Amino acid sequence: MSPAARLRGLKPDWISDPKVWRTEVLAGLVVALALIPEAISFSIIAGVDPVIGLFASFTMAVTISIVGGRRAMISAATGAVALVIAPLNREHGFGYLVAAVILAGFLQVVLGALGVAKLMRFIPRSVMVGFVNSLAILVFMAQVPEMRNVPWPVYPLIVSGLALMVFFPKITTAVPAPLVSIGILTVITVAAGLAVPTVGDKGELPASLPVPGLPDVPLTLDTLTTVAPYAFAMALVGLMESLMTAKLVDEITDTHSDKTRESIGQGIANVVTGFFGGMGGCAMIGQTMINVKVSGARTRLSTFLAGAFLMVLCIVFGPVVSDIPMAALVAVMVMVSCATFDWHSVAPKTLKRMPAGEIVVMVITVACVVATHNLAVGVVVGSVTAMVVFAQRVAHLAEVTAVTAPDGSTVVYRVTGELFFASSNDLVGRFNYATDPKKVVIDLSAAHIWDASSVAALDAIETKYAQRGKAVEITGLNDPSAHLHGKLTGELTHH
């Protein structure tokens, strides 16, 4: 291949395809518009000036577009991170918050390099479905305050916005329906002089770009011990939300992403954000769904432009953006909520066929997320519940059958299934110690030993037979089981 051909192969899709370029640019603009009120709201949760949240969304989006592992995913200031670091800001001040964001970023880089992303393989599908559904519910719930105690024109504006997003794509998909909806509703609001809540009512928009600097804290061990717990919590919550969102986008786009690079990229983005005085963040499921599912974006350009447009809109077009009715953005987020929810998972036909344990796991995941407003809590609790359900299910798969020799001199116990802490607990009680003949054979050719609990159970069986003067022979061990048994047998109990 010639150097020119190799260079063409390295070019992003949007450079050579005008259609892709248009899709990415318009998607970035829609996301930027949706980011403004969200960033301001999360700033209020964290107890900082709205400008801090907007700066964080700008630096996170621009940085992750370059160093992240999942194309088209949006990272910005988020509510989950705001909830984690709000107590630190409240008790110790903004300087400590910035220090925690920087430390959290470094921790995410370390965790990413250590392979924390590989843990994603242990997230069951039922937890993933619960994560998606709870996310859709949270996105909708976040819009409810914008529909309470508001002037009556807000409601027809929201309905009109939803109608535009449903029917406009039937006319053309050249321009994202959310962008059309926002534009038309803004024109109607301004032209009719409607007194409804606008973006400008949320807070003051920045008038200049952020300036890098160091956090205003003493560089002492006491500072480190103060910020470390918050930084560690932020690092874990941010990584979990980002990796779960990346996995969701993988499924939607039918593509694979580098989760390790995404983990390290999230860390780098938070370090950069901290040095620019931002409040930190992680992947945003709502804005990511706008970008990927609603607008059809697929490249890094849309993520980069979402951050770049955010600052342009605030600094250059601040007065225009301030006039956008919140009803328009509420309609967009309600549509995102409906599009995100996995309706098939709650269909009666699906629920009838689904194992009861998986339904329980999904419901617990949703309940925990909705109750705590913390996606990480729901994922952890849901995963632990799934493990318990799985352990109970396979605990009954270990079967024991006995065959006595015709002359009555030997009995062979054939053990079938997986032997681990849950299934091996009942193993000891499956043998007839008093009535069995002098020679007992335990055939494990159809079983596998997974842990020390199983070895201890086999030792206990041998001990019980030995107390009655009977010999036990264990046969049929596969190589891994034989290695584990040989290493641990006789070492787990005191005689």
Side-chain angles (χ1 to χ4, degrees), residues 19 38 46 54 107 109-110 114 144 174 210 219 287 298 320-321 329 371 374 386 462 470 473 486 493 495:
K19 185 178 179 181
E38 293 276 296
L54 291 165
L107 289 173
V109 171
V110 172
L114 292 175
V144 173
L219 301 177
Q287 276 63 25
R298 293 292 184 272
V320 177
V321 172
L329 299 176
N374 191 323
E462 290 188 83
K470 301 175 182 180
E473 180 186 358
T493 57
H495 299 285

Side-chain angles (χ1 to χ4, degrees), residues 191-215:
L194 298 177
V196 295
T198 63
V199 171
D201 297 330
K202 285 289 183 180
E204 186 178 348
L205 302 181
S208 62
L209 290 171
V211 178
L214 295 173

Side-chain angles (χ1 to χ4, degrees), residues 3-17 71 299:
R6 280 199 299 270
L7 184 60
R8 283 195 300 271
L10 293 173
K11 287 182 179 180
D13 294 339
W14 55 270
I15 289 181
S16 55
D17 190 337
R71 294 179 181 179
T299 77

Side-chain angles (χ1 to χ4, degrees), residues 357 361 381-395 420-422:
V361 170
V381 174
S383 297
V384 171
T385 304
M387 291 176 188
V388 172
V389 170
F390 173 77
Q392 288 181 333
R393 186 180 301 165
V394 299
F420 68 114
F421 64 89

Side-chain angles (χ1 to χ4, degrees), residues 391 394-398 418-427 430 454:
V394 299
H396 304 293
L397 296 182
E418 308 300 319
L419 298 181
F420 68 114
F421 64 89
S423 59
S424 61
N425 283 338
D426 298 330
L427 192 63
R430 308 287 289 276
S454 303

Side-chain angles (χ1 to χ4, degrees), residues 101-124:
V101 170
I102 295 172
L103 179 58
F106 281 117
L107 289 173
Q108 287 176 329
V109 171
V110 172
L111 290 171
L114 292 175
V116 69
K118 295 177 181 177
L119 296 176
M120 286 298 296
R121 72 183 69 176
F122 297 106
I123 305 294

Side-chain angles (χ1 to χ4, degrees), residues 237-305:
V237 169
L239 280 182
M240 187 172 295
E241 289 209 26
S242 299
L243 292 174
M244 290 291 284
T245 305
K247 186 176 180 180
L248 177 60
V249 176
D250 287 354
E251 293 180 2
I252 292 172
T253 61
D254 197 23
T255 57
H256 175 73
S257 62
D258 188 339
K259 304 300 188 300
T260 297
R261 177 176 173 178
E262 182 61 38
S263 301
I264 295 173
Q266 288 289 333
I268 294 172
N270 273 306
V271 171
V272 171
T273 297
F275 280 121
F276 275 91
M279 57 180 276
C282 62
M284 295 189 77
I285 183 67
Q287 276 63 25
T288 298
M289 289 300 101
I290 292 175
N291 197 45
V292 174
K293 202 165 186 177
V294 178
S295 301
R298 293 292 184 272
T299 77
R300 297 179 185 276
L301 179 63
S302 58
T303 306
F304 176 86
L305 289 178

